[in-house]
Amino acid sequence: MWKLTGGIFIGWALGSNDSANLFGTGVAAEVVKYRTAVILISIFVILGALVEGYKSMDTVGNMSQLTHMGAFIAAFSAGLCVGIFSFLALPVSASQAIMGAVLGIGMISGIPDFTKLYKVVICWVFTPIGALLFSFFLYSILGQLFQKFLLNIRLRNIFIKIALIFAGCYGSYSLGANNVANVTGVYVGSGMLSPFEAALIGSLSIASGVLTYSKKVMDTVGKKIVDLDGFSAFISSLSAAITVHLFTQVGVPVSSSQAVVGGVTGIGLKKGAKTVRLRTLAEIGIGWISTPLSSGITAYLLMRIYIALSGSGV
Amino acid sequence: MFFKKEKEVIELVEKHAEIVETCLLTAIETIDAYLAEDKLKAKKLSLETDKIETNADLVRYDIRNKLYYGAFLPRIRDDIYSLVESIDEVANAGEDCCDFFLNQRPQVPAALKPFFLTASKESLGIIKPLKEALLCFTRGECPIEVSRQHAREVGLKESDVDQIEWDLTKKIFTSSLEFSRKIHLKLCLDTIALVSDKAKDAADQLDRVTLKSMI
C-alpha cells in the first residue's frame, strides 16, 4: 500500500495548486469564504472523480505497462516535478508531468505507445485554445442576455455571485473527473487498484491538498483573475470548466490552469483588451515540452536506479 | 436571507438621494426667503437645511457600514460608495449656500435679486435630473444607455448654470456698486454655482459606475 504514497503526493500537490483556478475568483471577490470554498471544492472534486473519473484512467494507465513499483515511481516522479516547479514558481501541469513520467518508465521496457501520445498532445494544445473559443463565444452570447435582462445593479450583483459559485463548483467537478487519472491512473494500469478505488483514493488526496495547503495560491491567483470584472471572471472560469469536462469525455487528462489562461485570453480578444501577458502564453507552450521531459527523465533515472539496486524488472 | 445587504444598500442609496433632494429644495426656499427679506423664515429654513444634511450624512454612514460588511462585490463596492459621497457633497454645497446667505448676509441689489434667485433655482435644482439618473440606474427600470443619457443631461444643465453665472457676473461687475460689494456678490454667486459643479461630478461618477457595470 505504501506504493500509493506517490499518487497521494501528486494528488495533494494538484489539489493545493489547482483549487485556485476553481474558486480563486470567488474567494478574492468575497463571494464565498475560503473555508466554504475549500469544502465545496473537495465535495465536487470527489463527486466528479467518482462519477466520471474512470473515463481518463485508461489513457494514463495504458500508455505503458507498469508494475506496481513502476506505477509508484511514475507517480512519485511526477509529484516531485510538480512540487519543484511550484516551489520555483514555474507553471506546471500535473497531467503533463504524469504522462512524461509514464513514458519515461515505458522507455526502459521498450518503445512506449506513442500513438496514444499524439491524441494526448493534441488535447493539451487544444485545452487553452478550446477555453479561449468557449470564453469568446460565451462572452458574446451570455453578455447580450446579461445586458438585456439584468438592468438592475442589485440583480446583476446577485447573478455574478451565484454564477461565480456555480462556475467554481462545476470547475471542481470537472477537475475531479478529469485530473483524478493523473493521481491514481497509473495504479489502475498496473492492476493495483480498480477504477472506483483509484477515483476514491485519488479524489481524497486531491481534497487533502485543497483542504490543507491551498490558501496562498488561491489568494495570489484569485486576486490576479479578479482584476477582471465579475462577469468576465465567471465566463473565463466557466469556459475552463467546460473545456476540462469536454476532454474528460475524450478520456484525456488536461491542465485546468492552462484552460483558465485560455479562458482569460478569450475575454481579452473579445473585449480588445490585453488580459494575459505574452510571457504567460509562451510559458504554456514551453511547459508542454519541459514538464513531461523533466518528469520523464526523473522517472527514467529513478527506475534505472531501482532496477540496478534490486535487480528486478519494470 | 441571501443578498439582503445588497437590497438594503440600494434602498439606502435611494433614501439618501431623496434626502439630498429635500435638502437642496429647502435650501432654494431659504435663499428665496432671504432675497424676499424674510430673514426669520430664511433662518428657520437654513436650520432645517442643516438638519436634513446631517440626516443625509447619517444615511451615508449606514451605507458605508453595510457596504464594507460585505454587500456587493469589492470591485463595485468602492464605486458605489464614491457615488454616494459625491452626491452627499452636492448636499454639502447646498448647505454652504444657506450658510453664506445667513452668515455673511450679502446685500443683493433689488435689480439683481431675480437673477440670483434664478441662478439658485437652476443650480440647486440640478438635483432633480441627478436623482432621476440615479434611480434609473439603481432600479434598473431603463436600459443602461438611457441611464447614461440622464447622467449626461446633468452635465448639460450644469452648462446652463455656467451661462447664467457668466451673465450675472457681468451684470454685477458692470453695475455701479462698490468694488467690495461686487466681490462679495461674486463670491456668493460662486457658492451657488458650486452646487451644479458638484452635481456634475456626481453625474460623472454615476456614469463611471454605469459604464463599469456594462459588458
Side-chain angles (χ1 to χ4, degrees):
Chain A
M1 285 302 280
W2 65 270
K3 287 170 186 162
L4 285 176
T5 50
I8 291 168
F9 175 48
I10 194 172
W12 178 84
L14 196 150
S16 59
N17 271 299
D18 286 17
S19 54
N21 301 327
L22 313 168
F23 256 107
T25 45
V27 173
E30 297 170 27
V31 174
V32 282
K33 288 182 181 142
Y34 169 74
R35 196 175 289 270
T36 315
V38 292
I39 291 169
L40 283 173
I41 295 169
S42 303
I43 291 170
F44 280 93
V45 160
I46 294 169
L47 196 68
L50 293 179
V51 176
E52 294 191 73
Y54 66 92
K55 290 179 179 171
S56 306
M57 295 278 184
D58 286 348
T59 310
V60 179
N62 296 341
M63 190 68 77
S64 293
Q65 291 303 315
L66 301 173
T67 59
H68 292 354
M69 195 59 199
F72 165 72
I73 289 179
F76 178 77
S77 306
L80 196 66
C81 281
V82 171
I84 291 171
F85 274 55
S86 300
F87 181 74
L88 297 173
L90 294 169
V92 63
S93 156
S95 315
Q96 289 153 22
I98 194 75
M99 284 297 178
V102 170
L103 288 174
I105 291 175
M107 295 292 278
I108 297 172
S109 58
I111 302 298
D113 188 356
F114 280 107
T115 52
K116 283 178 186 160
L117 186 67
Y118 298 139
K119 178 184 159 188
V120 170
V121 171
I122 287 169
C123 290
W124 289 350
V125 174
F126 274 94
T127 300
I129 295 172
L132 184 152
L133 292 173
F134 272 121
S135 72
F136 187 89
F137 289 109
L138 280 175
Y139 192 92
S140 306
I141 298 161
L142 293 181
Q144 277 182 2
L145 295 173
F146 183 84
Q147 202 80 305
K148 194 174 174 186
F149 295 108
L150 290 174
L151 297 171
N152 187 310
I153 185 177
R154 190 173 66 85
L155 290 179
R156 281 177 173 227
N157 189 74
I158 291 171
F159 172 83
I160 297 287
K161 284 184 169 183
I162 293 172
L164 283 174
I165 295 173
F166 167 76
C169 291
Y170 179 41
S172 306
Y173 177 89
S174 297
L175 183 80
N178 185 281
N179 273 209
V180 75
N182 294 330
V183 182
T184 44
V186 284
Y187 298 105
V188 176
S190 71
M192 196 170 165
L193 295 174
S194 71
F196 179 79
E197 287 168 339
L200 186 64
I201 293 169
S203 59
L204 285 174
S205 58
I206 296 174
S208 71
V210 174
L211 290 166
T212 57
Y213 200 66
S214 60
K215 191 164 190 341
K216 198 176 158 192
V217 188
M218 201 179 282
D219 282 349
T220 316
V221 176
K223 275 172 190 154
K224 268 187 198 167
I225 301 175
V226 94
D227 278 345
L228 296 171
D229 61 277
F231 186 77
S232 302
F234 158 62
I235 293 293
S236 58
S237 303
L238 180 67
S239 306
I242 293 173
T243 308
V244 172
H245 195 198
L246 210 66
F247 283 115
T248 308
Q249 310 315 314
V250 184
V252 176
V254 292
S255 164
S256 64
S257 313
Q258 294 178 4
V260 168
V261 173
V264 175
T265 311
I267 303 281
L269 284 179
K270 178 66 200 164
K271 293 170 93 171
K274 195 179 173 188
T275 48
V276 174
R277 290 178 307 160
L278 274 176
R279 191 183 156 181
T280 309
L281 298 176
E283 280 171 351
I284 288 180
I286 294 166
W288 288 333
I289 299 162
S290 66
T291 309
L293 204 64
S294 315
S295 62
I297 292 170
T298 309
Y300 180 87
L301 292 175
L302 286 177
M303 198 66 204
R304 278 278 178 221
I305 294 168
Y306 170 72
I307 291 168
L309 292 175
S310 67
S312 58
V314 178
Chain B
M1 186 187 151
F2 291 117
F3 308 116
K4 194 179 161 194
K5 273 187 247 174
E6 278 84 357
K7 191 169 179 253
E8 285 172 354
V9 166
I10 291 297
E11 282 170 0
L12 284 172
V13 169
E14 290 175 0
K15 185 181 171 188
H16 179 261
E18 293 281 350
I19 295 172
V20 171
E21 184 187 30
T22 312
C23 175
L24 290 180
L25 295 179
T26 313
I28 293 173
E29 282 183 54
T30 309
I31 296 166
D32 194 8
Y34 178 89
L35 293 172
E37 307 276 337
D38 190 347
K39 301 275 178 353
L40 202 68
K41 188 182 173 189
K43 200 173 174 182
K44 199 179 146 199
L45 285 166
S46 177
L47 287 172
E48 183 67 21
T49 307
D50 282 356
K51 219 167 103 182
I52 298 169
E53 200 281 324
T54 307
N55 278 340
D57 281 339
L58 294 175
V59 174
R60 178 166 60 85
Y61 300 149
D62 213 1
I63 292 170
R64 185 171 60 196
N65 288 342
K66 287 208 164 26
L67 275 174
Y68 292 98
Y69 269 102
F72 287 96
L73 293 167
R75 199 181 143 86
I76 195 99
R77 195 178 290 156
D78 287 340
D79 291 326
I80 292 177
Y81 188 63
S82 297
L83 174 64
V84 173
E85 264 188 329
S86 60
I87 293 173
D88 203 68
E89 280 184 28
V90 184
N92 290 344
E95 187 191 14
D96 287 346
C97 288
C98 296
D99 290 348
F100 194 99
F101 277 100
L102 271 296
N103 183 260
Q104 299 189 23
R105 308 281 169 118
Q107 291 175 16
V108 183
L112 294 181
K113 279 181 180 174
F115 299 106
F116 267 90
L117 190 59
T118 306
S120 303
K121 283 181 176 170
E122 286 296 315
S123 183
L124 277 66
I126 203 167
I127 186 63
K128 282 191 181 291
L130 178 63
K131 195 185 103 180
E132 200 178 338
L134 180 81
L135 295 185
C136 187
F137 173 68
T138 55
R139 291 181 181 168
E141 288 164 354
C142 48
I144 279 184
E145 269 314 316
V146 177
S147 180
R148 294 192 69 203
Q149 184 56 37
H150 280 307
R152 280 195 285 268
E153 278 163 18
V154 177
L156 294 175
K157 184 116 175 139
E158 192 263 346
S159 300
D160 293 344
V161 175
D162 281 349
Q163 187 58 49
I164 292 168
E165 185 191 6
W166 173 271
D167 294 341
L168 187 49
T169 304
K170 205 167 159 187
K171 280 191 176 69
I172 292 167
F173 282 95
T174 53
S175 70
S176 56
L177 296 168
E178 283 172 29
F179 186 69
S180 58
R181 261 184 84 185
K182 286 178 183 175
I183 293 294
H184 197 207
L185 289 175
K186 173 61 179 148
L187 278 175
C188 180
L189 183 57
D190 286 346
T191 310
I192 293 168
L194 190 66
V195 179
S196 62
D197 289 341
K198 293 285 182 190
K200 187 176 179 286
D201 291 344
D204 285 345
Q205 177 62 23
L206 175 62
D207 195 40
R208 215 165 17 244
V209 178
T210 313
L211 204 59
K212 274 179 91 169
S213 71
M214 282 174 82
I215 289 173

